[in-house]
Amino acid sequence: MYGSRGAGMRASTAVLGAALLIAGCSSGGDGDKDAGAKITQQPRSSDPFWVNPDGNAARQVAAYAKSGKDSEAEQIRKIAEQPTGEWVGPENPQQEAQGFTEAADKAGRTALLVLYNIPHRDCGQYSQGGAADGDAYRKWIDGVAGGIGDRSATIVLEPDAVLHLVDGCTPEEFHEERYDLLKGAITKLKSLKNTKVYLDAGNAGWGHPDQIFQPLQWAGIDQADGFAVNVSNFYSTEDSIAYGKELSAKVGGKHFVIDTSRNGNGPYTAGAEDERWCNPPGRALGETPTTKTADPLVDAYLWVKRPGESDGTCKGGPKAGQWWASYALALAKASK
């Protein structure tokens, strides 16, 4: 159910960080600006995560401004000036992870990376795919770790991977391997000096924490910094905090992060229930990313899903992960 980037986007992002580093586009100070869409970094004190000055939203701002659509440009700027997750592609994990973390490091910020490449991903739905097998996945994780090195990174690990073991979507024959792969990924990534790892743990609307806490333990949550909730979904921050706190109590008091990227109007309640998560109309941007949250157990509000990128080919949307300007504009206009 989670958008993954297309091949063209992955190819361009493989060298993004290095290009930004050479060009000096990533600002080291809070007031410096990129020459294109003039995208700034957020203040370190409240939001230590890196804003990509060359992301899809930033490019859309520049395109609107160039064509004289100043109102539209300012709406999309609401997205472009916030840090969003960088979804590392399957082909060049080391190069991409290095590029993003180098660019973030130059700006004095932390890179937010999303790792979404588990074998048998998304149960054959819109974002199906993933590594060919367990060995390929381990090699991919090694590449990500090699690219990060000692630089600062926060990782959201494998959206849906544990949830789909619990809800029956992933066949039983793959369960043991998946637990082993997730546990191994956490161990590898936590061996890095400045990397935090949050394992995806579903959302407030799928079921009950009683159903997932033990699978999270089997997947290695004890070694992680915590878990992530509401990734690519729309449940309110209040409901997400309640769900996360109840789950935290069952996994040793672990902290958690919440994806607030598109939850400003809460979940969609019309149409087919099994596709309410996919490009729902009438949604809005949620709380902007910050480490200053409403609860001490919540380490951050993050924009893990990149607002404006499609959930899949439903409700008129393009393929999962592709930029959809009209949807992005609607999210921004509806936000407070």
Side-chain angles (χ1 to χ4, degrees), residues 178-180 182-183 212-221:
R178 180 167 295 184
Y179 285 126
D180 182 67
L182 291 171
K183 185 178 293 186
I212 200 171
F213 82 89
Q214 193 168 43
L216 287 171
Q217 291 171 335
W218 295 337
I221 189 67

Side-chain angles (χ1 to χ4, degrees), residues 36 55 72 76 92 100 120 130 143 154 159 174 178-179 193 215 219 245 253 279 319:
E72 289 87 344
I76 298 298
N92 301 293
F100 291 131
H120 318 292
T154 292
F174 303 130
R178 180 167 295 184
Y179 285 126
K193 184 178 180 181
K245 290 179 72 172
N279 299 324
K319 291 182 179 179

Side-chain angles (χ1 to χ4, degrees), residues 318-332:
K319 291 182 179 179
Q322 290 189 6
W323 176 252
W324 189 6
S326 61
Y327 195 83
L329 197 58
L331 285 171

